[in-house]
Amino acid sequence: MEPQPHTVESYRDAVLRLVNALPPEHIALDQALGRSTAEAVTARLPVPAFDNAAMDGYAVRSHDVANADRDRPATLTRLSYVRAGSSLPQALHAGEARPVMTGAPVPPGADLVIPVESTASGRFDDSATVEVWPSGRANIRRRGEDIAAGALVIPRGATLGPRDLALLAATGHDGVLVHRKARVAIVATGDELSSSLPDGGIPDSNSVYLRAAIASVGADIASTLVARDDVAALREALDTAARDADLIVSTGGVGPGTHDLAGRLAAEAPGGTLATVAMRPGRPQAHATWRGTPWLALPGNPTAAFVSFEAFVRPVLGRLGGGAEHSGTAAETVSVGWESRPGAVRFVPLSVGGDAESVSVSPFGPPSHASHSLSAMFRAPLIAMLGAETADVRPGQLVRVIEPA
Ligand SMILES: Nc1nc2c(c(=O)[nH]1)N[C@H]1C(S)=C(S)[C@@H](COP(=O)(O)OP(=O)(O)OC[C@H]3O[C@@H](n4cnc5c(N)ncnc54)[C@H](O)[C@@H]3O)O[C@H]1N2
Ligand code: MOO
């Protein structure tokens, strides 16, 4: 173990130094949800793409209706219809009204669209003339008035959500340059994972959790391996994992036990460290580069593996994918306080109370046992992340919370 414990921040910086953003690739928008842009994207097409009608109505010249009102409508010659998808109609001449549907190109020369409600009949019909009066609005959406051609649409390093994809499509893109998806190998360690239940064996819940958590941030699973507590077996699993992955995440074997081998192997590997981090749970952590592949060795306790994912794996995956390296946190008000000791960042499962107007949080179950309790840490809707300086938590205090994967 290192003499000086790491803070959560200093350990996160150390593991972030293991990785760089993966190379870019150009992919179809349909494939791009959750990926991060490798370059800033500008509009190929303006929005709107051409001057178009904002209402179903009549395109007219404002001069022709300047003195008209509901009691004295202007009588104009009705032309044929134009609808969304029609090509640009001929220029409008004095005394003419062109029926235009919402989204249709507005004929050159027209500077007003009068909604069909502002006509004498109040509906579209086939008569030769139409009686209209101005509605008070132009009802024309001008080319580029929303987004000009060439304007910045999405900055570099943005993680693409459904609205971003719609913006890209609307501005003339069918694909986007994003960072390649990270491929992650999972290595669960421990003889208990291979033993039979109930004879000393336990279910490998860490692999199930990690597979899902990694998938939930948009990375791919390269492989899932289980290694017994044996140096040769662990080396072999790591060799296999390193062959086809951008990152190896292991769980277990970072404690001081006789069969805790992952931490020792990591400490001996290039750039490797077995560290103590001032956090509960998740205190022992290790990392290294194994045959050229970055490796994060998380503790085996399932709750420790979970908070280690939030604190370290998520940021590393963020950097690999070219996106955000910090997960979002929010501040919530405490309704029922609890006893806490400073000196380490503490992850505390919380219940959420109150209503939509004023949310408040309180401990989820008895706080003293919560950090290793699956029934609390894996069922609580929110997890507080208390700074290492935080002593007792009091009602009315704000606490930082994470919404876990
Ligand atoms: N003498 C000390 N003992 C321990 C210390 C310490 O400082 N001194 N630290 C404790 C802390 S804190 C943690 S965390 C653990 C670290 O343990 P390891 O990373 O070595 O993990 P294991 O010993 O392999 O397993 C711990 C626990 O988790 C269960 N486990 C392991 N893998 C899985 C899996 N894939 N799915 C579900 N559960 C798993 C395992 O059976 C153990 O019960 O060390 C403490 N001890
Ligand atoms: O820190 Mo250990 O990670 O308490 O479970």
Side-chain angles (χ1 to χ4, degrees):
M1 289 267 173
E2 290 180 332
Q4 276 294 317
H6 268 280
T7 62
V8 170
E9 291 74 20
S10 71
Y11 191 73
R12 178 161 51 216
D13 290 344
V15 294
L16 280 171
R17 281 195 290 275
L18 292 174
V19 298
N20 290 309
L22 292 166
E25 58 181 356
H26 196 269
I27 59 168
L29 293 187
D30 272 356
Q31 308 298 315
L33 180 66
R35 304 285 286 274
S36 299
T37 48
E39 63 180 6
V41 189
T42 55
R44 279 196 184 141
L45 289 178
V47 179
F50 47 85
D51 294 354
N52 69 87
M55 297 282 242
D56 300 309
Y58 289 87
V60 303
R61 294 158 63 112
S62 53
H63 183 78
D64 288 344
V65 296
N67 300 316
D69 57 27
R70 182 184 288 269
D71 300 324
R72 283 179 306 147
T75 302
L76 303 177
T77 305
R78 250 183 65 98
L79 305 179
S80 57
Y81 290 95
V82 198
R83 53 195 172 88
S86 299
S87 52
L88 185 67
Q90 287 176 349
L92 197 78
H93 300 111
E96 292 176 341
R98 168 80 72 181
V100 287
M101 304 306 127
T102 302
V106 170
D111 55 359
L112 213 55
V113 170
I114 293 180
V116 67
E117 294 86 341
S118 298
T119 65
S121 71
R123 58 185 178 82
F124 291 104
D125 56 38
D126 293 332
S127 50
T129 59
V130 59
E131 291 175 273
V132 298
W133 58 89
S135 69
R137 289 172 182 271
N139 296 320
I140 296 176
R141 296 184 290 216
R142 294 289 177 191
R143 173 186 162 88
E145 74 175 22
D146 188 357
I147 302 173
L152 177 71
V153 178
I154 309 274
R156 182 194 167 118
T159 300
L160 296 169
R163 292 179 303 146
D164 300 309
L165 299 177
L167 265 182
L168 289 169
T171 52
H173 298 272
D174 51 19
V176 59
L177 195 71
V178 295
H179 290 277
R180 184 164 71 66
K181 264 191 181 192
R183 293 176 55 75
V184 185
I186 295 166
V187 180
T189 71
D191 286 350
E192 67 273 37
L193 307 176
S194 315
S195 306
S196 52
L197 279 164
D199 196 18
I202 61 155
D204 177 8
S205 64
N206 285 350
S207 294
V208 171
Y209 164 73
L210 283 174
R211 287 172 68 85
I214 289 165
S216 77
V217 298
D220 282 336
I221 307 298
S223 55
T224 309
L225 303 152
V226 176
R228 299 188 68 99
D229 292 322
D230 166 284
V231 175
L234 182 54
R235 282 180 174 279
E236 193 186 321
L238 292 167
D239 288 351
T240 306
R243 235 171 263 146
D244 179 34
D246 303 304
L247 178 70
I248 303 169
V249 179
S250 68
T251 64
V254 296
T258 52
H259 292 80
D260 288 332
L261 304 172
R264 269 175 262 167
L265 270 191
E268 291 163 10
T273 303
L274 173 58
T276 300
V277 183
M279 64 192 269
R280 301 284 183 282
R283 195 161 67 112
Q285 299 282 342
H287 65 267
T289 300
W290 189 267
R291 294 194 185 277
T293 303
W295 168 28
L296 303 192
L298 315 183
N301 278 333
T303 61
F306 151 56
V307 299
S308 305
F309 174 85
E310 293 295 343
F312 308 124
V313 182
R314 187 193 280 276
V316 164
L317 290 176
R319 177 167 291 186
L320 278 170
E325 291 165 8
H326 299 280
S327 47
T329 57
E332 299 291 359
T333 308
V334 171
S335 58
V336 179
W338 67 91
E339 285 178 15
S340 187
R341 273 184 299 143
V345 167
R346 289 179 195 278
F347 294 85
V348 181
L350 297 176
S351 298
V352 180
D355 50 38
E357 300 290 295
S358 77
V359 170
S360 62
V361 295
S362 55
F364 186 100
S368 51
H369 297 110
S371 82
H372 282 159
S373 155
L374 270 70
S375 73
M377 283 290 238
F378 288 1
R379 289 168 63 219
L382 290 180
I383 308 289
M385 192 176 153
L386 300 180
E389 71 295 342
T390 309
D392 293 351
V393 178
R394 298 197 165 76
Q397 189 174 328
L398 284 176
V399 290
R400 205 146 66 96
V401 299
I402 55 172
E403 212 171 314

